[in-house]
Amino acid sequence: MSNDKDKASRRYSSIVVDGVEQAPSRAMLRAVGFSDDDFSKSQVGVASTWSMVTPCNMHIDTLADEAARGINEAGGKAVQFNTITVSDGISMGTPGMRYSLVSREVIADSIETVVAAEGFDGFVAIGGCDKNMPGCLMAMARLDRPSVFVYGGTIQPGPERRDIVSVFEAVGGVAAGTVSDEELLEVERTAIPGPGSCGGMYTANTMASAIEALGMSLPNSSAQDAVSEQKMTDCERAGAAVVNLINQNIRPSDILTREAFENAITVAIALGGSTNAVLHLIAIAREARIPLELDDFTRIGEHVPLLSNLKPSGIYSMSELIQIGGIRPLMKRLLDAGLLHGDCLTANGRTMAENLADVADYPADQDIIRPLDNPVKKDSHIVILYGNLAPEGAVAKITGKEGVSFTGTAKTFGSEEEGLQAIMDGTVVAGDVIVIRYEGPKGGPGMREMLSPTAAIVGKGLGDQVAFITDGRFSGGSHGFVVGHVTPEAAVGGPIGLIEDGDEITINAETRTLEVNISAEKLATRRERWQPPAPLERTGVLTKYAHLVSSASQGAVTGGNE
């Protein structure tokens, strides 16, 4: 898409609706509700990710209606359309999970296609599940037309703070004999009480918070319950905000600066966010043509403390954080400490500092967000590792509760299913380093999340006694001594594919290293005799994805945005 500012300052929709030759276009639009007056208005798309596929998105049709109302009342003409979503939580641990990260690209492509084809002057995008959120942002960056993201909102917790991760961990408890079948059924029946995204600081809430910190959603959009008046108002305001952005000619390229991405990383770290934020922020930055790489997370993480007591490493839900003020008081603390760039422009046309100027601090008696001088961890829980197992980098999630280093004996598996079975049947024991490979972007294909194995580890009581490395990735709900995104991945000959059972592996968060403790000569010998496995049977989109996708260290994107 063109980044020419002068071109963007005129209405894209005029090409579609102005002039005698566009009478056929106007005739078609009249049938979907356009009046004579509407043809002189800015056309604003509403990209809805509504579906009944998942509770994360089951309510977004009503939110889209509110956004459309806000657009129309502000003087624009709203046009609603849909894109897909898939559910990570439902497909987790199955072959269907291979389509999860793929769906991010499909969503970005589909929004770009509709907005560009129909000549919309701007758009609102509403997302509620892990991949449709970065997919929406990638489309915004790519199109560079005035746009605002709306988060669908978080789910309410079930009894005893239950959520989807509670169910996964209860499955591990059944295998360990500590949870009965009846208790598992009770957790299953009560963990998901209604609409909204998974309730901890998992990937959806992480990305919602990061997107607000980027400036691409309105203040507080990330910290609202899915079913609430606040969320409905947020959607209406977002519709009006897009019309304002069109009138002021403020585009994503004015908002998505290098400093804005640094703000997003800072907030994600302080909140104890998902490692998926690394993958998605790099992908969004590539679409925005902003240089961002793994080492930026290390540089920023050296100065930003982990402050939250939110799940999965803590005990509280996002809904409980909302009750004490959401993420804005945290952002105000970070800004006052010089850890945020206050001069970054945001989607309401104001700067970050202006938006936070009047924000009050948290109540004194809360323990969800720690003060800066008493952090959970003095630096980032997201640790970028390098070494002879990850010469191009790997991403670890280490809060310090697990310790800061682990040395153990490798047990290797060629797929998630093999690894999960070994955990459930007791093959994996204390002191092991579980190695699941051939699950990377190309090798999977699709880079599946490993929530089922990590939750089973915790459920079996091994959370602090084993480590786990993979060229796949982890759900935001995973916790423990876990390292993902190992690059190069096994399918392209990466060293993770050369590990053998019994090898000693050391993970060290302080030195930021991931090493197999054998000689370079032995590794070279193994590399000479390594043969890639036969690819899984692939058809359609998985084949296309495997051919096009970049490495995880480059965001696992499929577009050529160098």
Side-chain angles (χ1 to χ4, degrees), residues 316-372:
Y316 292 104
S317 70
M318 187 67 175
S319 188
E320 290 169 297
L321 178 60
I322 290 167
Q323 293 171 19
I324 64 165
I327 73 166
R328 298 186 74 210
L330 168 66
M331 293 173 67
K332 181 68 160 56
R333 288 182 180 181
L334 295 170
L335 177 69
D336 291 345
L339 296 173
L340 286 183
H341 301 286
D343 57 350
C344 289
L345 188 65
T346 72
N348 64 359
R350 305 176 72 198
T351 66
M352 180 69 70
E354 289 171 337
N355 288 336
L356 295 173
D358 298 325
V359 173
D361 201 6
Y362 293 114
D365 59 349
Q366 63 85 30
D367 66 341
I368 302 176
I369 301 293
R370 295 268 196 95
L372 284 161

Side-chain angles (χ1 to χ4, degrees), residues 1-3 141-144 256 258 261 282-292 560-562:
M1 291 296 156
S2 170
N3 281 324
R142 197 184 292 173
L143 286 155
D144 201 27
L256 294 175
R258 168 87 176 177
F261 280 97
I282 290 175
I284 297 164
R286 286 174 66 85
E287 297 290 359
R289 294 171 174 81
I290 298 296
L292 192 72
N561 293 305
E562 297 300 333

Side-chain angles (χ1 to χ4, degrees), residues 127-140:
C129 200
D130 295 8
K131 305 310 170 297
N132 54 57
M133 301 169 70
C136 290
L137 265 290
M138 291 165 70
M140 290 175 171

Side-chain angles (χ1 to χ4, degrees), residues 162 170 174 178-189:
R162 288 173 185 153
V174 170
T178 59
V179 175
S180 69
D181 291 342
E182 292 76 15
E183 289 169 329
L184 173 62
L185 183 59
E186 171 64 15
V187 173
E188 174 190 328
R189 285 174 169 168

Side-chain angles (χ1 to χ4, degrees), residues 88 100-101 104 125-140 148-154 197-218 220-224 231 256 260-261 263-286 292 297 310-312 318 321 327 331 381-382 397 449 473-477 485 555:
D88 290 5
S100 169
L101 191 56
R104 185 190 72 179
I126 310 174
C129 200
D130 295 8
K131 305 310 170 297
N132 54 57
M133 301 169 70
C136 290
L137 265 290
M138 291 165 70
M140 290 175 171
V148 174
F149 177 79
V150 174
Y151 178 40
T154 190
S197 299
C198 298
M201 191 48 61
Y202 310 144
T203 302
N205 282 318
T206 298
M207 288 309 301
S209 302
I211 290 166
E212 182 173 331
L214 274 173
M216 289 300 294
S217 61
L218 296 181
N220 215 41
S221 181
S222 66
Q224 294 163 340
K231 181 47 65 182
L256 294 175
F261 280 97
N263 284 348
I265 293 170
T266 296
V267 169
I269 290 170
L271 287 168
S274 167
T275 54
N276 278 317
V278 178
L279 196 73
H280 297 325
L281 288 172
I282 290 175
I284 297 164
R286 286 174 66 85
L292 192 72
F297 289 82
L310 293 164
K311 290 184 172 186
M318 187 67 175
L321 178 60
I327 73 166
M331 293 173 67
H381 65 296
I382 295 175
K397 184 178 186 180
E449 290 180 348
R473 58 196 175 92
F474 292 106
S475 162
H485 307 204

Side-chain angles (χ1 to χ4, degrees), residues 54-56 58 89-90 155-159 162-168 186-199 202:
T54 168
C56 307
M58 63 187 287
I90 295 171
I155 195 171
Q156 290 284 332
R162 288 173 185 153
D163 60 14
I164 187 61
V165 176
S166 307
V167 188
F168 279 99
E186 171 64 15
V187 173
E188 174 190 328
R189 285 174 169 168
T190 59
I192 312 294
S197 299
C198 298
Y202 310 144

